[in-house]
Amino acid sequence: MRAFFTAILMAMANLAKGGLNAIDWCWRTFCGLLPGGGSGTVMPPSRLDLPDVDEAHEAKTEAADRHRAADYMLSSPERVALAWARASKEDRDTIPLTKLTTDQIDWLEVRLTDDQLKLLASEKSEYRVAKALAGEEDVILGLPSVPVKKRKSGPDLTDRIVDFRMMSGIERPPAFVH
């Protein structure tokens, strides 16, 4: 009850001092002293700045197209090699080389010079890049191919013929004459 009388006294003092603003202040103070608080300050509704539905749909479609293009660019070893050669030195770390063998990665990162990488980047035929990655020589002019490790499964035919002739005495070992 004491708060009620205090509010009335304050209201009379403000009313004597201020006019209409004082009445508004008195009303808010009185309502604030009632149980349950009273009404708070009502904020004017702000207009939300949401993007247009068509713009959001276009952005979503564009992102999906970029994702499909990136998947296509990295879908085969020759495309990965071309993307790596065409990228700047800073961006090359972002290209995954998982489709390439260790020899092909070594060929790209270590063996090729900057000028040879420019030649590889300017190559239009994925078929030629695939052949160079497979180890075929002279596929791309001015560009060495991936070195291929020769597997030796056994002696060549010429070695077997020489061994056969040596065992049967048909051919004698070469004699070195001074």
Side-chain angles (χ1 to χ4, degrees), residues 38-100:
S39 64
T41 306
V42 177
M43 296 295 292
S46 62
R47 185 165 184 253
L48 296 176
D49 189 23
L50 297 175
D52 189 26
V53 174
D54 294 332
E55 290 177 13
H57 181 66
E58 288 174 11
K60 184 179 178 182
T61 306
E62 184 180 333
D65 289 343
R66 275 189 265 133
H67 185 67
R68 262 188 260 113
D71 287 346
Y72 175 76
M73 284 175 41
L74 302 175
S75 64
S76 66
E78 53 271 6
R79 290 183 185 135
V80 170
L82 285 172
W84 196 86
R86 290 174 181 159
S88 66
K89 289 183 180 182
E90 296 81 26
D91 293 337
R92 287 181 181 159
D93 292 336
T94 62
I95 298 174
L97 300 176
T98 55
K99 300 231 184 243
L100 301 177

Side-chain angles (χ1 to χ4, degrees), residues 83-158:
W84 196 86
R86 290 174 181 159
S88 66
K89 289 183 180 182
E90 296 81 26
D91 293 337
R92 287 181 181 159
D93 292 336
T94 62
I95 298 174
L97 300 176
T98 55
K99 300 231 184 243
L100 301 177
T101 64
T102 55
D103 291 336
Q104 293 168 343
I105 293 171
D106 181 55
W107 176 69
L108 271 177
E109 292 181 340
V110 178
R111 294 181 185 263
L112 295 182
T113 63
D114 290 336
D115 293 333
Q116 290 170 337
L117 284 173
K118 288 178 186 175
L119 284 174
L120 180 63
S122 66
E123 182 59 43
K124 301 293 184 214
S125 172
E126 291 179 9
Y127 178 74
R128 286 184 177 179
V129 175
K131 293 285 189 179
L133 286 172
E136 288 189 25
E137 291 296 325
D138 300 326
V139 177
I140 301 173
L141 187 64
L143 193 67
S145 297
V146 175
V148 178
K149 296 177 184 174
K150 294 182 181 177
R151 294 181 296 169
K152 191 143 186 173
S153 60
D156 288 342
L157 182 61
T158 55

